[in-house]
Amino acid sequence: DSLTTLCFICFALGGVMGFGGEALHGHPQLPLFFVLVALFHLTEFSFCALFHEKEIEFRGFMLTPVPAAGYSIAIIAAILEFWLWHAVGMLRTFQFAFVLLGGVLAFGGWGLRTAALFTAQSNFTHIVACHKESSHRLVTQGVYSLCRHPGYVGWFLWSVSTQILLGNIFCFFAYAFVSWRFFCWKNTARRANVDPFFRGRVPGLRQPSTLRNPMDFRSLTRVGSNGSNGSTS
């Protein structure tokens, strides 16, 4: 987590994004995928640097959100499946549709996630909070007035849409399943640790999101309060 290491990672991600931008004139799917991945992680780290400057470390890039190198394996699998379909000549007829639909949805998901981060600011943490800080506030404005967990929704949309962009059939379903399960786990931790910070003072938190619905597209405005919990990713 030294400053040199963090700077090198930023440089590497910038290089990946630059390479993707330069290569867009050829087969745009894989380069655009690199751009989206690099942009996502650079934004996550930039958020940490701005609002959690005392906790700047490698995990701020969100390059290891799950243990056992699961995230790296998912990225490699996506690239391999793309080249598999490319090699056999399948899905080329729909290449433009994949690029347009996947690109728009993926950038939209990244935009929603980014809006959630920078709206909540220091109230948003990558690791679910176990203790309430004195500065911890319930965020109710902006994208948090639209749904209860815009950070979850944005990440999920970004994740699965990158596979639409690549035209990956198997990885699309794998990403959707794993992402959903990941957010179910995050939601379990949030319900146990974060919701009690505000329950009783915020009526909507008496109706917590369920394990089957970790995204929870309701805002607290719709369930009896005036906002939504934006304190955790």
Side-chain angles (χ1 to χ4, degrees):
D1 290 339
S2 69
L3 182 61
T4 302
T5 302
L6 296 177
C7 289
F8 174 77
I9 295 173
C10 287
F11 176 80
L13 287 172
V16 169
M17 190 161 64
F19 164 76
E22 282 292 317
L24 283 177
H25 65 276
H27 296 286
Q29 290 162 283
L30 194 58
L32 192 55
F33 173 72
F34 289 146
V35 169
L36 283 161
V37 171
L39 184 62
F40 177 87
H41 294 293
L42 285 171
T43 302
E44 296 289 318
F45 184 76
S46 297
F47 162 78
C48 288
L50 287 171
F51 299 108
H52 297 284
E53 65 277 1
K54 295 181 180 179
E55 303 173 9
I56 296 178
E57 53 189 358
F58 172 75
R59 69 183 183 186
F61 287 101
M62 295 300 288
L63 288 167
T64 55
V66 293
Y71 183 75
S72 299
I73 293 171
I75 294 292
I76 293 171
I79 296 172
L80 290 177
E81 184 178 351
F82 169 78
W83 283 118
L84 171 65
W85 294 124
H86 183 75
V88 300
M90 295 182 64
L91 308 178
R92 289 183 182 178
T93 304
F94 306 102
Q95 177 175 306
F96 177 77
F98 288 141
V99 171
L100 181 61
L101 179 61
V104 168
L105 291 177
F107 275 110
W110 167 78
L112 181 59
R113 168 77 176 182
T114 301
L117 292 174
F118 286 87
T119 299
Q121 299 182 6
S122 62
N123 297 295
F124 191 112
T125 57
H126 285 140
I127 304 299
V128 176
C130 296
H131 305 284
K132 186 180 184 300
E133 301 292 338
S134 59
S135 60
H136 197 169
R137 298 291 182 268
L138 193 70
V139 181
T140 64
Q141 71 273 18
V143 291
Y144 289 93
S145 66
L146 303 177
C147 63
R148 190 163 172 179
H149 303 301
Y152 291 2
V153 176
W155 189 342
F156 182 85
L157 183 60
W158 168 82
S159 173
V160 298
S161 297
T162 58
Q163 301 313 296
I164 297 176
L165 169 71
L166 293 175
N168 288 346
I169 298 173
F170 298 116
C171 280
F172 171 81
F173 290 104
Y175 271 50
F177 175 77
V178 172
S179 295
W180 191 268
R181 295 299 304 170
F182 174 71
F183 287 121
C184 281
W185 170 76
K186 291 277 283 185
N187 194 42
T188 301
R190 181 196 56 75
R191 291 175 63 191
N193 293 286
V194 179
D195 279 10
F197 295 168
F198 306 103
R199 189 171 294 140
R201 290 185 297 154
V202 182
L205 287 178
R206 295 172 187 168
Q207 301 183 37
S209 53
T210 66
L211 296 182
R212 294 183 180 180
N213 182 21
M215 303 298 158
D216 201 343
F217 292 100
R218 307 169 301 168
S219 69
L220 293 186
T221 305
R222 302 191 193 107
V223 293
S225 182
N226 62 351
S228 61
N229 190 345
S231 57
T232 56
S233 63

